[in-house]
């Protein structure tokens, strides 16, 4: 997606229209890497239907959010749907107070509806709570009841660095970053398993680390998971070229973002980036 402008599907449509105007055949394949928009892209590929339920936002404001649930028991939840940075808040948007409780409510709702595997796309969070809010919500409602969890993310940041790397993007000043970092260290020491030092445990303000520590969550590179689910490898074998896009190409592009995954899987097929 191109944040603030086009969704992945819209961008693909415009690029394909240009290709077709030049007399070529274009296959539109909107993709995501575990960030915003991942649920909408994965749901059709998995044959999942949309479920709407009540939950709370990152500052506990009551709200309704959606996730996807497939007949095989796979649920796809976007963390940003209930714990996202763009959600409205009735009070102060305090980065210290924001938590993932609402995402935990979505996970618990999915389990109650029969989910056996929960995929959480971890991008776009407002939170740096180490996943503690989500853990509390799940445990208050009877736990996962045997369901497994996988967290899809586009970062490799470790748990203890989550506030330093992402806190400023969520409104945390230097003093708050230090406080959040100290809190993450305290949480890690008290969790059933210590997530510190493990790559990708810092995604969504440590949410992924909290899921790994409490529920044994699998930490999955979102880009590769999405490309696999969409059958990218089969499509690229018959393509003369691949056109990819991203809102900004910078140092983070090669750190788990969708373009780096596409380059790695495209072989000798030329890749053009918009």
């Amino acid at each position: 997606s191109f944040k603030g402008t086009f969704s992945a599907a819209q961008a693909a449509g415009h690029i394909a229209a240009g290709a077709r105007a030049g007399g070529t055949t274009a296959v539109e394949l909107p993709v995501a890497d575990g960030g915003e928009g991942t649920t909408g892209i994965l749901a059709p590929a998995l044959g999942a239907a949309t479920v709407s339920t009540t939950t709370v936002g990152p500052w506990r404001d009551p709200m309704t959010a959606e996730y996807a649930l497939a007949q095989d028991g796979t649920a796809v939840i976007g963390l940003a749907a209930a714990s996202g940075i763009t959600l409205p808040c009735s009070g102060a948007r305090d980065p210290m107070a924001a938590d993932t409780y609402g995402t935990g409510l979505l996970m618990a709702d999915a389990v109650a509806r029969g989910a056996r595997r929960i995929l959480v796309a971890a991008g776009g969070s407002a939170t740096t709570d180490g996943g503690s809010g989500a853990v509390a919500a799940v445990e208050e409602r009877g736990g996962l009841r045997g369901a497994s969890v996988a967290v899809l993310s586009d970062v490799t940041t470790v748990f203890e660095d989550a506030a330093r790397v992402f806190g400023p993007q969520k409104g945390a000043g230097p003093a708050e970053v230090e406080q959040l970092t100290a809190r993450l260290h305290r949480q890690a020491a008290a969790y059933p398993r210590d997530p510190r030092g493990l790559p990708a445990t810092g995604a969504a303000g440590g949410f992924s680390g909290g899921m790994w520590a409490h529920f044994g969550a699998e930490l999955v590179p979102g880009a590769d998971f999405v490309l696999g689910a969409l059958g990218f490898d089969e499509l690229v074998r018959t393509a003369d070229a691949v056109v990819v896009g991203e809102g900004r190409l910078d140092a983070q592009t090669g750190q788990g973002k969708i373009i780096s995954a596409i380059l790695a899987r495209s072989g000798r097929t030329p890749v053009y980036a918009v």
Side-chain angles (χ1 to χ4, degrees):
S1 64
F2 290 64
K3 287 183 181 177
T5 54
F6 299 114
S7 69
Q10 290 171 326
H14 287 302
I15 293 168
R20 291 169 187 142
T24 66
T25 299
V27 176
E28 296 176 35
L29 191 73
V31 294
D33 52 21
E36 299 96 322
T38 298
T39 301
I41 287 169
L42 276 181
L46 299 175
T50 299
V51 175
S52 180
T53 188
T54 56
T55 183
V56 295
W59 294 279
R60 302 291 181 101
D61 297 280
M63 61 172 292
T64 299
E66 296 180 343
Y67 64 91
L69 182 61
Q71 288 189 343
D72 68 357
T74 300
V76 186
I77 296 173
L79 186 140
S83 306
I85 189 70
T86 61
L87 292 173
C89 174
S90 59
R93 303 178 69 84
D94 181 1
M96 299 290 297
D99 72 10
T100 53
Y101 191 84
T103 295
L105 292 180
L106 297 183
M107 295 172 66
D109 187 80
V111 169
R113 295 175 190 262
R116 306 303 301 158
R117 185 187 188 204
I118 301 173
L119 307 176
V120 183
S125 77
T127 59
T128 314
D129 74 336
S132 59
V135 170
V138 169
E139 292 183 340
E140 286 171 8
R141 282 155 181 78
L144 293 177
R145 304 176 203 173
S148 65
V149 178
V151 181
L152 313 181
S153 74
D154 59 358
V155 302
T156 57
T157 306
V158 295
F159 187 84
E160 63 271 26
D161 286 345
R164 179 181 60 80
V165 175
F166 306 117
Q169 302 170 11
K170 304 174 186 184
E176 290 170 317
V177 167
E178 291 301 317
Q179 294 174 50
L180 288 168
T181 299
R183 187 171 74 185
L184 288 169
H185 279 288
R186 291 194 301 271
Q187 289 172 325
Y191 282 175
R193 294 197 292 174
D194 192 332
R196 286 175 290 190
L198 187 68
T201 50
F207 170 86
S208 56
M211 293 294 104
W212 176 86
H214 286 84
F215 304 132
E218 184 182 3
L219 307 183
V220 181
D224 282 320
F225 184 92
V226 170
L227 293 177
L230 296 178
F232 175 83
D233 294 344
E234 291 75 19
L235 289 168
V236 78
R237 277 197 288 269
T238 60
D240 295 310
V242 179
V243 183
V244 300
E246 192 170 40
R248 177 184 172 119
L249 300 178
D250 55 24
Q252 291 189 12
T253 300
Q255 299 175 8
K257 300 294 184 181
I258 192 67
I259 291 180
S260 62
I262 286 173
L263 286 170
R265 297 171 76 139
S266 291
R268 299 177 63 86
T269 305
V271 179
Y272 300 88
V274 175

